[in-house]
Amino acid sequence: MMKHFTRYLPIALLVTAMPVSGQSISLEQLLERAMQQNSQVQIARLDETKVGSQIDEVRANARPHVAVAGDYKRYIKIPGQLVPASFFGGPEGTYATLAFGLPYNMSTTLQASQALYNPSIGLGLKAAKLSQQVATLQTVKTKEDIAYQVSATYYNLQTVNQQLGFLKSNHTSLAKMIRITDLLYQQKLAKGTDVDRLRINMTGLETQMASLNAGKEQLINLLKLLTGMPQSDPLDIETTIQQNAAQPLNTEDATLNRTEIQLLQRQRELNDLSYKSTKAGNLPTVAAYGVANSTFFGKGGSDGVFKNVPGYWFGLQVNWSLYDGSARNARMRQNRIDSDKLNEQEKLLKESITMDVLNARAKLLVEQQNLRAVRDQVALAEKVYQQAQLQFKEGTISLTDVIQAENSVSESQNNYLTTFVKLRTAELDWKKATGTLVPQP
């Protein structure tokens, strides 16, 4: 029975949690725990927090920036400069080398700047806020995936529990049949091979139960991983199977609830902002700045000197890229192409969602009807099996008829469990298609 959910089970997850023991846990409790303690959800939340810091970084570009710089030079030989020798009474056409300055130079500069006009800052802030919305939607998408996996594993575990219950009941009935057949054999009313045939069936039944118990442990361990519970803690789930699934409603606007649609819309908005930001590169940027500078000159020796020469000024700085080789135009064309692609992707995704909703709705209604039918078949097969046991005890039918009745019970039970799994899968697929696996932010 586990094969129906195999493709939905994760490979590996990290977990941390406190156990809940001493009571059966419902699906709702497991989902609540998973939304809080699953490591994948925690990682998605950390990504949200990181985007918040990125927004602060963008905001910082609009605030004043202050920087301090220092410089120290010790000239072994002061650099010279050529000047006409005629300045000092020398011959025309010749030059003299003069060295200005002192061997020791130390300067300190304090500069403050403030952006006055820069369209990219505002657009960058809008893009950062959109990125935060994308991170939030990614968290929702992660929660949806985890909710699907937890629910599928939970229903699978319920199915295994139910199947074990069936097998235990069949084991009890078969043990009783073996005792009866053995007594009839001792009274020469049954064949020795009849007892052997029943014991072969008993061995097969016990082997099946052992295999299911091993599978049950694996599913329990998987639920612990998905819900952030330590593997060493006990976990018991509610064994009562809810026979009815949620009733599908009219969902003409199901696309509005789908996280994938909302993510695509945010991607389009980000692409539009990228286009505007590239276009804004044609505009100049203006910044104001102020500088306070202090330079010390000095030399050693008996006639040593140490002199401070301060300087202060402020100004406006304009940067304007007049031509960049048409690189901006090329990026803007790429943005327009990406916009067309996103429009086509959204149209395709909406059609796909509509198809998923219709298919899931039809499947859910069919499986609800099938479950009611196979449940009646189980009751009828068990009734026939009980009558066959009585008739065999009275000697009116053969053991072959009893075994056939027993096989009918097993087959109807398997059909019931298979249909239950299909019903729960259809319910999960319908919730996924309509965007109702988890509440929207």
Side-chain angles (χ1 to χ4, degrees):
M1 297 306 300
M2 289 184 288
K3 64 181 180 181
H4 297 282
F5 282 138
T6 301
R7 64 185 187 276
Y8 303 118
L9 305 184
I11 297 176
L13 293 170
L14 299 175
V15 292
T16 53
M18 292 298 292
V20 174
S21 59
Q23 59 182 356
S24 297
I25 301 179
S26 66
L27 176 59
E28 290 73 19
Q29 291 172 315
L30 287 171
L31 288 173
E32 183 179 358
R33 176 188 290 272
M35 296 304 101
Q36 297 298 323
Q37 301 181 17
N38 179 272
S39 292
Q40 291 184 359
V41 176
Q42 296 292 343
I43 291 172
R45 289 195 179 117
L46 289 173
D47 287 337
E48 285 189 67
T49 305
K50 180 179 178 180
V51 173
S53 298
Q54 292 173 345
I55 292 177
D56 293 338
E57 181 182 0
V58 175
R59 286 192 178 123
N61 293 328
R63 302 190 185 110
H65 289 189
V66 180
V68 176
D71 184 42
Y72 169 76
K73 296 184 182 70
R74 170 62 171 94
Y75 290 114
I76 304 300
K77 179 175 178 60
I78 298 174
Q81 185 175 1
L82 291 178
V83 297
S86 59
F87 286 174
F88 305 97
E92 291 288 343
T94 60
Y95 296 88
T97 301
L98 298 179
F100 297 98
L102 298 175
Y104 298 102
N105 285 259
M106 183 175 65
S107 66
T108 303
T109 302
L110 175 67
Q111 178 171 328
S113 61
Q114 170 65 57
L116 300 180
Y117 177 74
N118 190 342
S120 297
I121 294 178
L123 292 172
L125 183 58
K126 291 180 180 179
K129 290 180 178 180
L130 273 176
S131 296
Q132 189 172 47
Q133 295 178 24
V134 170
T136 300
L137 289 172
Q138 290 288 5
T139 300
V140 174
K141 186 69 174 63
T142 301
K143 288 182 176 180
E144 290 174 346
D145 293 340
I146 296 301
Y148 195 107
Q149 293 171 6
V150 170
S151 300
T153 307
Y154 181 88
Y155 293 141
N156 206 3
L157 184 55
Q158 277 195 322
T159 303
V160 171
N161 283 333
Q162 184 68 50
Q163 191 170 9
L164 282 170
F166 284 151
L167 292 179
K168 289 177 182 178
S169 177
N170 295 345
H171 187 276
T172 301
S173 297
L174 190 56
K176 183 178 179 181
M177 278 294 302
I178 291 175
R179 290 194 300 270
I180 293 173
T181 305
D182 190 46
L183 289 174
L184 292 175
Y185 170 69
Q186 294 176 10
Q187 298 172 7
K188 309 293 186 180
L189 298 176
K191 301 177 182 178
T193 55
D194 291 341
V195 179
D196 294 335
R197 290 172 62 188
L198 291 175
R199 285 175 176 165
I200 291 173
N201 287 354
M202 177 68 81
T203 301
L205 196 61
E206 291 173 348
T207 301
Q208 188 177 2
M209 291 173 64
S211 178
L212 280 175
N213 276 315
K216 176 181 176 180
E217 288 300 317
Q218 294 176 0
L219 290 172
I220 289 175
N221 293 337
L222 176 59
L223 269 182
K224 292 177 183 179
L225 284 170
L226 289 170
T227 57
M229 181 181 293
Q231 292 292 309
S232 58
D233 289 348
L235 174 62
D236 295 319
I237 69 165
E238 292 182 353
T239 57
T240 302
I241 292 181
Q242 298 296 326
Q243 301 293 329
N244 298 319
Q247 293 297 323
L249 305 175
N250 292 326
T251 52
E252 291 82 358
D253 298 329
T255 55
L256 300 177
N257 296 327
R258 288 290 292 266
T259 307
E260 294 90 335
I261 288 291
Q262 298 179 49
L263 281 169
L264 205 57
Q265 291 171 346
R266 298 301 179 275
Q267 290 176 9
R268 184 193 294 110
E269 293 174 16
L270 284 170
N271 185 68
D272 292 341
L273 284 175
S274 177
Y275 176 85
K276 293 177 181 178
S277 180
T278 302
K279 188 176 181 180
N282 293 317
L283 301 175
T285 62
V286 182
Y289 69 95
V291 178
N293 177 265
S294 181
T295 303
F296 295 86
F297 299 93
K299 70 173 184 175
S302 58
D303 58 345
V305 65
F306 190 70
K307 182 70 175 179
N308 175 30
V309 180
Y312 309 98
W313 65 93
F314 65 88
L316 293 176
Q317 189 176 51
V318 178
N319 291 311
W320 194 354
S321 175
L322 298 178
Y323 181 68
D324 64 351
S326 298
R328 279 190 295 268
N329 291 335
R331 289 196 296 269
M332 290 165 65
R333 288 196 300 271
Q334 294 175 47
N335 287 135
R336 286 192 289 266
I337 294 173
D338 288 338
S339 180
D340 293 339
K341 286 175 58 179
L342 289 169
N343 288 335
E344 288 299 321
Q345 289 175 6
E346 182 175 4
K347 183 170 71 173
L348 177 62
L349 181 57
K350 285 183 176 179
E351 289 297 322
S352 176
I353 290 173
T354 301
M355 179 189 70
D356 290 343
V357 171
L358 293 175
N359 290 344
R361 177 185 174 86
K363 184 67 173 176
L364 182 56
L365 292 173
V366 168
E367 296 303 336
Q368 285 178 330
Q369 296 175 355
N370 290 343
L371 187 65
R372 288 191 290 268
V374 296
R375 188 167 57 236
D376 294 338
Q377 291 176 1
V378 171
L380 181 59
E382 289 176 345
K383 180 180 178 180
V384 171
Y385 181 47
Q386 291 174 357
Q387 293 175 347
Q389 287 177 313
L390 292 175
Q391 291 173 345
F392 176 74
K393 186 177 180 180
E394 295 170 355
T396 58
I397 62 174
S398 67
L399 180 61
T400 300
D401 295 327
V402 178
I403 292 177
Q404 289 178 346
E406 180 194 0
N407 291 337
S408 296
V409 170
S410 298
E411 183 179 356
S412 63
Q413 290 171 347
N414 288 331
N415 288 339
Y416 167 77
L417 294 174
T418 300
T419 305
F420 170 76
V421 171
K422 290 181 179 179
L423 174 64
R424 291 311 177 196
T425 303
E427 182 181 21
L428 287 175
D429 289 340
W430 176 71
K431 289 182 178 180
K432 180 179 180 180
T434 55
T436 54
L437 275 171
V438 296
Q440 294 291 314

